[in-house]
Amino acid sequence: MGVSFDKIDGVSWLKFEIQPAANPASEKDRAAKLKDPGFGRVFTDHMAVVRYNQTEGWHGARIESRANFPLDPAAAVLHYAQEIFEGLKAYKRDDGGVNLFRPDANARRFRNSAERMAMAPLPEPVFIEAVEQLVRIDRAWIPGGEGSLYLRPFMVASEIFLGVKPSAEYIFAVIASPVGSYFKGGPAPVSIWVSENYTRAAIGGTGAVKCGGNYAASLRAQAEAIDHGCDQVVFLDAVERRYIEELGGMNIFFVFDDGSLSTPPLGTILPGITRDSIIALARDSGTRVREEPYTVGQWRADAASGKLKEAFACGTAAVISPIGKVCSASGDFLVSGGAAGPIAMGMRKKLVDIQYGRAPDPHDWIRKVL
Ligand SMILES: *Cc1c(COP(=O)(O)O)cnc(C)c1O
């Protein structure tokens, strides 16, 4: 590949130098911002940064004041979009402690994303350490109640060079954003638009990795959804253009009248950690879960016949969003009469209770940071 990664292994000793912010937000300022943080607009005082170059490997691990990055105008990411990211949350428990949910799975996926994008893979222990250190230093920013601290690890190609090749330098960073409950007053069912003009992923492409480019390419389809009065877009497969893949940033499940669940198989979709957790929890309780292709035509027919009871989208940010209505160029149809279904809502509660430490954690998913 032309990139030497041989310095990477054995850096799990990488120690973070901690340099607390000189001018953190005042308590009053923070309280005002935490009152109604919304999603992704309020940020904490610090960030984690680790750098990579070919001579030093991963180095310069720091927790420092959140600030601008100096980026040369010729930095590779600004031209060829070598960028990947993750999303996970820190949850405040009733006892005042703090949980992370499956950060090892995010670290593994981040490493897989790096490999697909020909970027230097970050050792998983360094990813987890960066996240934990940031949560500890910014713990005062973690909202109570149904809020959480959204963590955004990401990596950009920073080499100054306009040639098309994998960058020889990278910046890995983690920033944090307190978020309120995604839905005020409980999850409202979303309406989704079936995109027939655009696809998000083909076999051999980047659909299964969390790279910014996938999102850039989905925005036009999402705008089309909004134009048609829908909340979200759902993509079909790129070959036959009839199998349901996923939403712009969430996976999808279907609930049938025999109690079984089905979800599109891995391959071109993003392997969601929420998706994986739902499959595990459903199987724990004896529910049959199929990972199999499902066409939009079948969805319409099953909704009409009553065979399909519910559909829901899932991801870290919103946990579970019931789908109430499906719109497409060939007409609209309702799912569970347009209301939030009991299976979606029950699964949501199950997952959220584990995340906040209110229910037992049979799969060892919780990592207590504080
Ligand atoms: C992040 C993401 C998801 C959800 O993944 P989680 O690990 O459950 O948060 C689903 N689809 C896409 C395209 C994503 O980027």
Side-chain angles (χ1 to χ4, degrees):
M1 264 199 303
V3 178
S4 144
F5 294 149
D6 50 4
K7 292 242 172 188
I8 287 165
D9 289 320
V11 294
S12 46
W13 46 264
L14 207 73
K15 203 164 157 48
F16 282 77
E17 186 189 319
I18 297 178
Q19 192 130 108
N23 295 302
S26 70
E27 209 171 316
K28 191 164 154 255
D29 221 23
R30 194 172 57 232
K33 286 183 169 173
L34 285 176
K35 203 161 263 169
D36 187 15
F39 186 88
R41 293 199 181 274
V42 173
F43 296 97
T44 64
D45 293 314
H46 298 87
M47 63 181 182
V49 181
V50 190
R51 289 169 194 274
Y52 177 89
N53 65 36
Q54 288 184 325
T55 46
E56 295 164 281
W58 289 104
H59 66 282
R62 286 162 63 91
I63 303 290
E64 58 192 28
S65 188
R66 185 180 177 280
N68 292 349
F69 290 127
L71 268 190
D72 189 278
V77 65
L78 300 177
H79 303 273
Y80 309 123
Q82 237 191 327
E83 188 269 356
I84 56 171
F85 66 96
E86 271 301 326
L88 69 164
K89 286 173 168 176
Y91 308 87
K92 191 175 266 177
R93 299 192 304 272
D94 288 339
D95 67 7
V98 177
N99 286 348
L100 288 173
F101 183 71
R102 307 187 69 180
D104 51 319
N106 294 97
R108 197 177 323 121
R109 190 168 67 188
F110 195 69
R111 201 179 158 113
N112 291 339
S113 295
E115 273 162 10
R116 175 62 183 84
M117 302 302 283
M119 302 170 87
L122 182 75
E124 290 160 41
V126 178
F127 178 103
I128 293 171
E129 181 72 5
V131 166
E132 290 193 351
Q133 291 281 3
L134 184 63
V135 169
R136 286 200 191 99
I137 199 164
D138 280 334
R139 65 181 299 178
W141 286 93
I142 308 175
E146 290 293 295
S148 56
L149 186 66
Y150 185 78
L151 299 152
R152 168 52 58 86
F154 64 101
M155 185 184 352
V156 298
S158 53
E159 186 182 357
I160 301 165
F161 180 54
L162 290 181
V164 180
K165 61 145 191 116
S167 174
E169 293 172 20
Y170 296 95
I171 301 170
F172 166 72
V174 189
I175 54 174
S177 172
V179 296
S181 175
Y182 204 80
F183 303 99
K184 294 183 187 82
V190 294
S191 54
I192 62 173
W193 168 254
V194 180
S195 179
E196 286 164 13
N197 292 329
Y198 305 102
T199 60
R200 76 172 282 284
I203 294 161
T206 58
V209 305
K210 233 171 157 65
C211 62
N214 287 346
Y215 278 74
S218 76
L219 296 177
R220 184 66 200 267
Q222 174 65 22
E224 202 179 73
I226 305 280
D227 285 347
H228 286 89
C230 290
D231 302 306
Q232 295 276 330
V233 62
V234 64
F235 289 100
L236 303 176
D237 77 286
V239 178
E240 296 193 39
R241 311 291 286 269
R242 61 197 188 104
Y243 294 107
I244 302 289
E245 293 236 307
E246 63 173 313
L247 279 61
M250 287 193 272
N251 297 119
I252 191 166
F253 278 85
F254 304 97
V255 183
F256 295 91
D257 60 354
D258 63 356
S260 67
L261 298 184
S262 115
T263 191
L266 297 181
T268 50
I269 64 168
L270 197 284
I273 295 162
T274 317
R275 173 189 180 279
D276 185 72
S277 307
I278 289 168
I279 293 173
L281 291 177
R283 287 182 178 154
D284 285 352
S285 58
T287 299
R288 212 150 42 80
V289 186
R290 296 179 304 280
E291 295 177 73
E292 67 180 19
Y294 190 60
T295 65
V296 64
Q298 196 63 46
W299 188 1
R300 187 188 296 271
D302 289 345
S305 73
K307 184 165 184 261
L308 181 93
K309 287 297 181 196
E310 300 178 29
F312 60 86
C314 67
T316 296
V319 193
I320 284 178
S321 296
I323 295 169
K325 189 180 177 189
V326 183
C327 312
S328 74
S330 41
D332 304 351
F333 62 93
L334 291 181
V335 180
S336 24
I343 304 294
M345 299 313 292
M347 184 56 80
R348 181 174 208 283
K349 180 170 175 2
K350 231 179 196 171
L351 201 49
V352 168
D353 282 349
I354 294 173
Q355 289 167 335
Y356 284 87
R358 299 190 291 250
D361 171 27
H363 295 277
D364 224 3
W365 284 336
I366 295 302
R367 189 163 173 126
K368 290 187 177 181
V369 182
L370 285 162

